[in-house]
Amino acid sequence: MFKSPGSALVVIPHPDDGEIGCGGTTAKWIREGCKVFYLLCTNGDKGSDDRGITSASLASVRSEEQLAAADSLGVEEVIMLGYPDGELEDTKRFRGEVVKAIRRFKPEVVICPDPFRMTPYWHRDHRICGQVTVDAIFPYARDYLHFPEHLRDDGLEPHKVGSLFLVGTESPDIYIDISDSIDRKIEALYCHVSQVGPKDKDPHNTLGNRIRERAQETGSKADYQYAEAFRHVKFGT
């Protein structure tokens, strides 16, 4: 059983990815005293089939939805990098922004998408977000000669992350019991109205039932009522 960390950074490609992938885990950890921070990479400005909305309007809506969802879980702070949806690239700038967040928040655990999946329809923003985050953790955030301006300009020392949890993995090796926090996960997801619709328009709790079914299926593999699964990577000191 994994003990709840004192601090965690969730690096997510799009608004709602944090709640979908690890909302139950973060809610559980926060309840147990963990400080959780979000680094949101894109503004989600393409994620709609509404022909009447512009990318700028959608980005504004999704920003507010993400803040509401994070607040409902008890997330300490949300940093929004604002890259356009579908346009994440493995660049020095992006890598440096992730490194800076790691050095600022000094998380014991980082959560991000698994970039190593073989499934061909894994969203490229997820792949790139995951790969850049893995690289940022090791070795960039650890070594002070990478991005020395963080120390020079902002006083941010290098930081060694202890554990990485990869979301959406095809090879899970750790399961977190979210039986007591799944309701918080569902409530947070309902904050993303542009993606799931308003809660009062879902009288049969279709979204909640779907989330419970998936979590129950995952939990059955670890003898939990409801669970979220990750690939756990430990970093040596």
Side-chain angles (χ1 to χ4, degrees), residues 92-139:
K92 182 178 181 180
R93 174 189 170 191
F94 180 28
R95 195 178 316 116
E97 289 169 326
V98 180
V99 170
K100 188 173 185 178
I102 292 170
R103 289 175 172 173
R104 178 185 169 195
F105 297 124
K106 303 192 183 311
E108 296 176 25
V109 176
V110 171
I111 302 176
C112 73
D114 188 344
F116 309 115
R117 282 176 48 142
M118 299 299 292
T119 303
Y121 52 80
W122 194 224
H123 195 303
R124 75 183 302 273
D125 280 346
H126 287 241
R127 292 197 307 270
I128 293 170
C129 173
Q131 185 61 66
V132 169
T133 301
V134 172
D135 292 340
I137 293 170
F138 182 86

Side-chain angles (χ1 to χ4, degrees), residues 7 23 28 32 49 74 87 89 93 106 117 141 144 169 182 187-188 210 213:
S7 58
K28 171 186 174 69
E32 295 173 355
D49 59 4
E87 297 185 30
E89 302 292 349
R93 174 189 170 191
K106 303 192 183 311
R117 282 176 48 142
Y144 77 95
T169 181
I182 191 167
E187 286 302 310
R210 186 165 69 246
E213 287 172 6

